[in-house]
Amino acid sequence: REAEERFTAANPESRRLHAEAAKAMPGGNTRTVLFYEPFPLTLASGEGCHVRDADGHLYTDFLVEYTAGLYGHSHPVIRGAIEAALSDGIVLGGPNLLEARFAAALCDRFPAVERIRFCNSGTESNMFALSAARAATDRDKVMAFRGGYHGGVLYFAGANPLNAPFPMVMADYNDAENAARQIAAEGDRLAAVIVEPMLGSGGCIPAEPAFLQALRDATAKTGALLIFDEVMTSRLAPGGLHGELGITPDLVTLGKYLGGGLTFGAFGGRAEIMDRFDPRRPGAWPHAGTFNNNVLTMAAGLAGLTQIYTPDTAIALNRRGDALRNRLNGIAEAMGLPIRATGRGSMMCLHAASGPVRRPADVAGMPKALRDLLHLDLLEKGQYLARRGMINLSLPMEAPDLDGLAAAFAEVLEARAGLI
Ligand code: PLP
């Protein structure tokens, strides 16, 4: 309570704006994941890897728009691409000069993606991929994993009355044997298995390669399609995690940073499946969406992927993430505290855990009050991260930014050691 009172006193303008916002939006909010008590900071601007709130405080941005902010705020190359596109008109209503180039760049980059189609969000990409799998197989059911997140209407970390009405089969993450058994038992009733190669929202828990391989083998036997949701994880290696692990799903879904910071989603995969969307074919599947090829996203995404996030840059950023995660774990270990940063490369999440973390159940231990307190403490020290403890890297971050987080983390753990 004391931390909340200090936060409230330090942020009068955010408090006022939140109260104002609550008159038109339930809880003053239009994105549940950005809400926290007593009220979320209202952000006024961002530059590089920093954001400034409505009261004028400056933060290092480790939330990184839940991975979508990889390029940082106002990257000059992205900005230039958007400005150039703006002056040529933004709602053209036809195929434009950029979309095929962007599609080709994505197919070149991600080995499982032979053909691709665009949409407007990661959620949409998963809805289309699952629907395509059901149409392709003429089967009904879809398997997903407890703790997984594929969008606001495909949320499996708890009960969600808003979930899309796909008939679901749930399985446990990183339990290869059981998942393979369930897939075999479902047989020709199962249309698809959808999986994040690392649980993102579920706490940055990497899939074991043997688990993903077991899904590949089991689905190949029954004819269910394997869908990798790489909406978050495609940033973790030049060819996404499927490229890195050498496992080829039938379909891959993409989103987040690949739109250059603008609204984006895409799904792609085996040509034989994706070509069912070819409008020249009899009985082609329809796929529409007014803004699927919107020129601003196409321009920003193409520039980002081809001019900024090159394979070498991807490798370097993820190495920096590995080093930061090791450093945070070293700090907690040296203090003898059961706090761990899980994850891979440039994505990580803080948890209460001392042993190995393989499944969501292994990290369920942090009491909410403690999580909330650590978040407010870190905010007070200028470190902006997700309340759930997720930390992501962006390209503009320099050594002093990472040093700042490590120092704040150490100070906060030391101050709160008695509560952990
Ligand atoms: N899939 C994964 C793995 C995600 O993490 C998210 C968003 O966090 C989504 C899908 C949904 O993407 P969007 O928020 O763009 O709809």
Side-chain angles (χ1 to χ4, degrees):
R1 187 161 324 124
E2 184 208 313
E4 283 196 2
E5 279 167 13
R6 256 203 335 272
F7 177 87
T8 303
N11 296 290
E13 188 59 6
S14 277
R15 183 191 192 191
R16 187 189 69 74
L17 288 165
H18 180 254
E20 202 55 39
K23 292 178 187 164
M25 293 184 287
N29 178 266
T30 192
R31 293 176 60 196
T32 306
V33 292
L34 291 180
F35 180 78
Y36 49 86
E37 300 279 6
F39 51 85
L41 296 172
T42 296
L43 299 184
S45 62
E47 195 177 344
C49 65
H50 296 99
V51 286
R52 195 176 288 283
D53 72 11
D55 288 281
H57 307 124
L58 191 69
Y59 299 87
T60 312
D61 176 11
F62 285 99
L63 190 140
V64 186
E65 192 52 295
Y66 290 98
T67 72
L70 177 122
Y71 299 113
H73 305 285
S74 309
H75 191 294
V77 170
I78 301 273
R79 209 186 154 116
I82 293 175
E83 278 169 2
L86 265 179
S87 55
D88 287 331
I90 57 171
V91 276
L92 300 178
N96 59 58
L97 296 173
L98 297 166
E99 69 200 73
R101 287 172 58 202
F102 189 26
L106 289 160
C107 290
D108 277 352
R109 188 70 172 257
F110 297 109
V113 180
E114 294 173 354
R115 303 264 201 282
I116 195 162
R117 291 182 76 90
F118 296 121
C119 53
N120 295 282
S121 70
T123 307
E124 230 187 286
S125 66
N126 285 318
M127 294 292 285
F128 271 113
L130 289 171
S131 293
R134 294 174 82 220
T137 56
D138 197 20
R139 299 176 184 179
D140 210 22
K141 287 188 183 172
V142 166
M143 176 181 280
F145 293 88
R146 296 183 185 92
Y149 181 82
H150 306 285
V153 294
L154 294 163
Y155 165 89
F156 304 111
N160 180 11
L162 302 186
N163 267 352
F166 292 118
M168 300 298 305
V169 180
M170 298 308 300
D172 283 326
Y173 199 73
N174 270 341
D175 186 340
E177 219 171 279
N178 266 319
R181 198 173 313 128
Q182 278 178 270
I183 292 166
E186 290 296 336
D188 64 7
R189 293 186 295 276
L190 192 66
V193 174
I194 186 165
V195 65
E196 294 163 83
M198 173 170 85
L199 288 179
S201 299
C204 293
I205 302 176
E208 287 158 9
F211 167 67
L212 296 175
Q213 188 60 54
L215 299 182
R216 178 64 290 180
D217 296 344
T219 49
K221 278 188 201 139
T222 66
L225 300 191
L226 181 61
I227 304 171
F228 275 11
D229 178 346
E230 293 236 42
V231 166
M232 276 190 174
T233 57
S234 75
R235 60 149 49 205
L236 295 180
L241 275 190
H242 73 275
E244 179 79 0
L245 300 172
I247 298 173
T248 309
D250 300 293
L251 295 172
V252 180
T253 57
L254 300 168
K256 303 278 187 193
Y257 77 95
L258 284 168
L262 303 187
T263 178
F264 176 71
F267 57 101
R270 267 173 39 210
E272 177 203 342
I273 303 166
M274 292 302 293
D275 284 348
R276 301 279 298 269
F277 286 102
D278 180 343
R280 298 167 299 189
R281 286 173 63 144
W285 296 335
H287 168 227
T290 303
F291 294 112
N292 288 354
N293 63 340
N294 83 80
V295 290
L296 296 185
T297 297
M298 298 296 115
L302 176 65
L305 188 66
T306 57
Q307 296 177 50
I308 309 171
Y309 206 49
T310 58
D312 286 348
T313 304
I315 290 167
L317 181 75
N318 287 300
R319 284 207 179 122
R320 299 176 79 196
D322 286 334
L324 177 67
R325 190 170 44 262
N326 290 338
R327 191 169 168 191
L328 298 181
N329 281 329
I331 290 169
E333 247 167 63
M335 292 186 191
L337 294 175
I339 297 282
R340 276 188 69 77
T342 60
R344 181 176 176 139
S346 60
M347 292 169 59
M348 62 204 81
C349 193
L350 301 174
H351 296 285
S354 40
V357 173
R358 296 185 54 228
R359 305 200 183 152
D362 297 333
V363 293
M366 174 114 59
K368 184 179 174 304
L370 177 60
R371 185 174 286 284
D372 294 355
L373 180 63
L374 298 181
H375 176 244
L376 290 182
D377 283 351
L378 286 165
L379 277 180
E380 202 173 17
K381 293 187 181 301
Q383 311 300 319
Y384 187 78
L385 55 138
R387 171 141 294 189
R388 67 169 79 122
M390 191 183 203
I391 294 170
N392 299 301
L393 263 54
S394 65
L395 291 171
M397 284 175 181
E398 305 273 1
D401 302 304
L402 305 182
D403 294 346
L405 177 70
F409 179 70
E411 285 167 27
V412 166
L413 288 196
E414 200 168 332
R416 303 295 186 187
L419 298 173
I420 296 171

